Amino acid sequence: MSAIKALNPKAEIARAAQALQININAARGLQDVLKTNLGPKGTIKMLVSGSGDIKLTKDGNILLHEMQIQHPTASLIAKVATAQDDITGDGTTSNVLIIGELLKQADLFISEGLHPRIVTEGFELAKTKALETLEKIKVTKEMDRDALINVARTSLRTKVHTELADLLTEVVVDAVLGIRKEGEAIDLHMVEIMQMQHRSDIDTQLVKGLVMDHGARHPDMKKHVEDAYILTCNVSMEYEKSEVNAGFFYKSAEEREMLVKAEREFTDEKVKKVIELKRKVCGDSNKGFVVINQKGIDPLSLDMLAKEGIVALRRAKRRNMERLALACGGMAMNSVEDMTPDCLGSAGQVYEHVLGEEKFTFVEECKNPQSVTILIKGPNKHTLAQIKDAIHDGLRAVKNAIDDGSVVPGAGALEIAIHDALMTYKNDVKGRSRLGIEAYARALLVIPKVLAENSGLDPQETIVKLQEEYRDLGKPVGVDISTGEAIAAADSGIWDNYCVKKQIIHSSTVIASNLLLVDEIMRAGLSSLKG
């Protein structure tokens, strides 16, 4: 009888071979779900929530986040894969496939009596060699616009259809290059992503400026201003109650009027200071003046501003204040006392776009924007969500390429090269650990195999072709998903992120090794003891 049964008769337990089988089945189950998503020709999954909401996606990360996974092992693998996305922004599906395949290949040897510990030792040796091969194969080069477009295209074509992917590629690369500052880390929060349920997905565009999801609050304010000064401020322009509860006593209506007037004057003074500044910088010219305030502006203040031809927006989001200063120049002011013309930004045009009930304000034609907006358009909610997820991945792919300063050939080329290197290395290893290396090498082939399978090609035939071509050419070759022939990934501009591949090799090996070494699964937590 198991020792845990003596301590807790209600415990559920799975021993050695059974525990291993549970883990391997879970990994393979998850692998089968995500398998068909891989690559540009992968299929799309449709997720339906409890309330009937629909989500269409090919992104492994979204699937694992949204799916309800109850199996403990599958849930563990899903967490590792989503952590991969949090760290590098891509590679979730590949991670799950490789973990599933590592366990599947190890199972072939374990079922013949090989101890899991020996397999994991082989995995560790293979991981070190795989990372060495990755270092040799990576291509370090100047990350100019063309190189970044190739990286972004490779990532985006696996998420959305080709025509849209090619459009988004240009958008995300130009967005990242727009906010990039020499010698500083790239902050992707400076790329605002705004959604408009309007027209079709091909109308998605990059705005070199800012788009805000609210409009001016006064009917007399202009809807379109050209050559405008922009004042970003965080000043309350509305009547406020005092923080302490104070009471005022008055004997007559005149005294009450005086009190009200004095209270109003306090707010009016602030508004007058803004108007003074506008008169000072605009003079008699027909230049526009736009005030974007983080706090409120009450109707009377709006009226004063409208009479002066000033366009005022209130209650702007805090993150937009930071972005506005970067996009238009100038400074965000917290007080009206020290306002000078130097604190103003400028924009070529500011206009309002009304869409049904919603208003959008566009701040465009900024001189040197260091914050930009990607405006996503689509006919329905799930299209917008799908594009938004793809853009997030595209932005991360471009950022990774700039940070790494190097890229790796894609289309399964890296996996073919590592397989070849491991098969040669296996002969130098003494003892049974070499079987673990062999299992690891075979497992990596799952990526080119699945790419071929999803494209309607014969996986075995494709792998053989690739291996022969790699030995003849001596440079990394991947799968041409249109013909099934070998293709020099580097010449075709198919590049993957170096940090994504490195992370996949690290995390998939660690998790697969841990799962193989589990010889007992006990459900004996406190919750199962109740009753």
Side-chain angles (χ1 to χ4, degrees):
M1 190 172 102
S2 166
I4 189 80
K5 285 282 189 189
L7 300 173
N8 170 10
K10 288 187 179 177
E12 293 172 31
I13 186 165
R15 293 305 293 268
Q18 193 187 354
L20 191 60
Q21 214 50 51
I22 288 173
N23 283 345
I24 290 171
N25 288 345
R28 288 181 67 174
L30 203 54
Q31 183 193 27
D32 287 342
V33 170
L34 292 185
K35 202 175 182 177
T36 51
N37 287 14
L38 189 74
K41 298 225 173 159
T43 50
I44 292 178
K45 298 278 186 285
M46 180 164 152
L47 290 166
V48 184
S49 71
S51 59
D53 283 343
I54 290 176
K55 191 157 200 177
L56 297 173
T57 183
K58 273 172 81 174
D59 192 344
N61 178 46
I62 306 294
L63 266 173
L64 295 174
H65 264 301
E66 306 270 341
M67 271 195 316
Q68 209 170 1
I69 300 173
Q70 289 186 329
H71 195 291
T73 311
S75 162
L76 174 71
I77 296 171
K79 279 180 186 145
V80 172
T82 50
Q84 156 94 26
D85 192 272
D86 296 339
I87 298 164
T88 62
D90 210 350
T92 334
T93 311
S94 307
N95 212 334
V96 172
L97 292 189
I98 291 174
I99 293 173
E101 199 65 20
L102 282 169
L103 293 180
K104 182 173 155 187
Q105 294 295 339
D107 188 34
L108 298 175
F109 292 110
I110 292 167
S111 60
E112 289 171 8
L114 187 66
H115 194 280
R117 171 60 73 186
I118 291 166
V119 178
T120 56
E121 281 169 10
F123 278 5
E124 276 308 310
L125 292 169
K127 179 178 103 173
T128 313
K129 185 68 183 170
L131 290 169
E132 271 176 39
T133 312
L134 176 65
E135 291 298 328
K136 279 182 200 159
I137 283 183
K138 76 172 183 183
V139 178
T140 306
K141 59 179 187 174
E142 176 62 34
M143 286 298 154
D144 55 6
R145 189 168 182 273
D146 291 344
L148 294 174
I149 277 184
N150 285 335
V151 173
R153 190 190 296 118
T154 308
S155 169
L156 287 167
R157 279 197 177 177
T158 63
K159 310 279 184 281
V160 286
H161 63 84
T162 312
E163 190 185 356
L164 179 58
D166 292 349
L167 171 82
L168 295 182
T169 298
E170 303 262 338
V171 167
V172 296
V173 172
D174 289 340
V176 175
L177 291 177
I179 61 163
R180 183 184 179 187
K181 292 181 198 164
E182 279 304 317
E184 285 185 38
I186 294 169
D187 181 8
L188 292 180
H189 288 293
M190 288 305 109
V191 179
E192 164 82 316
I193 296 176
M194 185 61 70
Q195 300 178 3
M196 280 172 96
Q197 197 168 323
H198 174 52
R199 298 169 72 174
S200 77
D201 49 9
I202 299 295
D203 293 310
T204 297
Q205 69 193 80
L206 175 70
V207 176
K208 295 256 175 107
L210 205 66
V211 180
M212 287 172 286
D213 52 0
H214 50 90
R217 287 276 175 245
H218 194 283
D220 295 345
M221 285 180 180
K222 291 179 186 170
K223 300 284 184 249
H224 190 280
V225 183
E226 288 190 358
D227 197 10
Y229 287 106
I230 310 281
L231 171 65
T232 48
C233 54
N234 182 15
V235 177
S236 174
M237 294 190 197
E238 56 188 344
Y239 164 68
E240 284 179 1
K241 286 186 176 167
S242 57
E243 285 180 23
V244 246
N245 282 333
F248 290 99
F249 298 93
Y250 47 84
K251 297 189 283 296
S252 64
E254 285 81 17
E255 280 184 10
R256 182 181 175 279
E257 285 302 315
M258 280 169 68
L259 277 171
V260 172
K261 194 175 167 189
E263 273 183 335
R264 185 68 230 165
E265 240 170 50
F266 178 68
T267 309
D268 287 353
E269 279 305 309
K270 292 182 194 170
V271 180
K272 280 174 186 162
K273 288 243 171 74
V274 173
I275 293 171
E276 260 173 50
L277 181 67
K278 187 254 176 183
R279 286 178 179 160
K280 185 175 170 185
V281 293
C282 294
D284 299 330
S285 69
N286 57 357
K287 284 195 165 189
F289 196 91
V290 180
V291 176
I292 297 172
N293 193 10
Q294 194 180 325
K295 290 192 175 151
I297 307 176
D298 63 14
L300 289 168
S301 305
L302 280 170
D303 210 43
M304 288 168 71
L305 292 169
K307 279 176 186 162
E308 284 292 324
I310 296 174
V311 178
L313 279 81
R314 63 184 180 193
R315 308 222 183 277
K317 294 190 183 84
R318 182 162 176 253
R319 56 166 200 222
N320 280 344
M321 304 307 284
E322 190 183 344
R323 288 185 181 131
L324 265 167
L326 283 166
C328 307
M331 285 181 286
M333 303 305 293
N334 290 317
S335 141
V336 289
E337 300 307 318
D338 43 8
M339 284 196 304
T340 61
D342 299 340
C343 64
L344 298 175
S346 63
Q349 60 173 336
V350 179
Y351 61 92
E352 193 177 286
H353 182 101
V354 182
L355 192 65
E357 298 280 303
E358 295 178 345
K359 287 182 178 179
F360 293 88
T361 305
F362 287 70
V363 179
E364 281 188 11
E365 293 176 25
C366 304
K367 286 191 183 82
N368 183 20
Q370 286 171 336
S371 173
V372 294
T373 303
I374 295 175
L375 185 62
I376 301 173
K377 294 186 180 180
N380 43 42
K381 272 189 186 163
H382 60 254
T383 307
L384 292 173
Q386 193 181 357
I387 298 174
K388 189 178 179 184
D389 296 336
I391 283 175
H392 275 297
D393 286 1
L395 289 170
R396 290 290 294 270
V398 177
K399 179 182 184 291
N400 290 341
I402 294 173
D403 292 349
D404 295 340
S406 55
V407 282
V408 179
L414 176 72
E415 287 77 10
I416 293 284
I418 293 178
H419 173 268
D420 195 71
L422 289 179
M423 284 314 213
T424 313
Y425 172 61
K426 181 185 79 166
N427 301 326
D428 303 339
V429 177
K430 302 282 186 286
R432 290 182 296 170
S433 298
R434 65 196 303 180
L435 298 172
I437 296 173
E438 191 180 329
Y440 194 96
R442 280 195 208 158
L444 286 180
L445 290 182
V446 70
I447 302 293
K449 263 186 200 166
V450 171
L451 278 174
E453 210 173 300
N454 288 350
S455 308
L457 306 164
D458 183 309
Q460 262 66 38
E461 189 188 346
T462 309
I463 292 292
V464 171
K465 272 185 196 167
L466 292 183
Q467 288 172 333
E468 284 171 359
E469 197 73 23
Y470 177 62
R471 288 199 191 100
D472 295 345
L473 283 178
K475 65 176 185 178
V477 289
V479 188
D480 182 342
I481 52 173
S482 312
T483 60
E485 298 299 319
I487 180 176
D491 301 344
S492 306
I494 303 171
W495 296 107
D496 281 333
N497 283 132
Y498 163 73
C499 63
V500 172
K501 291 292 184 187
K502 190 175 176 183
Q503 181 69 24
I504 288 174
I505 292 171
H506 272 296
S507 57
S508 58
T509 313
V510 170
I511 289 297
S513 301
N514 284 350
L515 291 176
L516 284 175
L517 293 176
V518 170
D519 73 334
E520 204 161 315
I521 299 174
M522 295 173 274
R523 194 189 283 268
L526 288 172
S527 58
S528 64
L529 296 177
K530 288 175 184 167

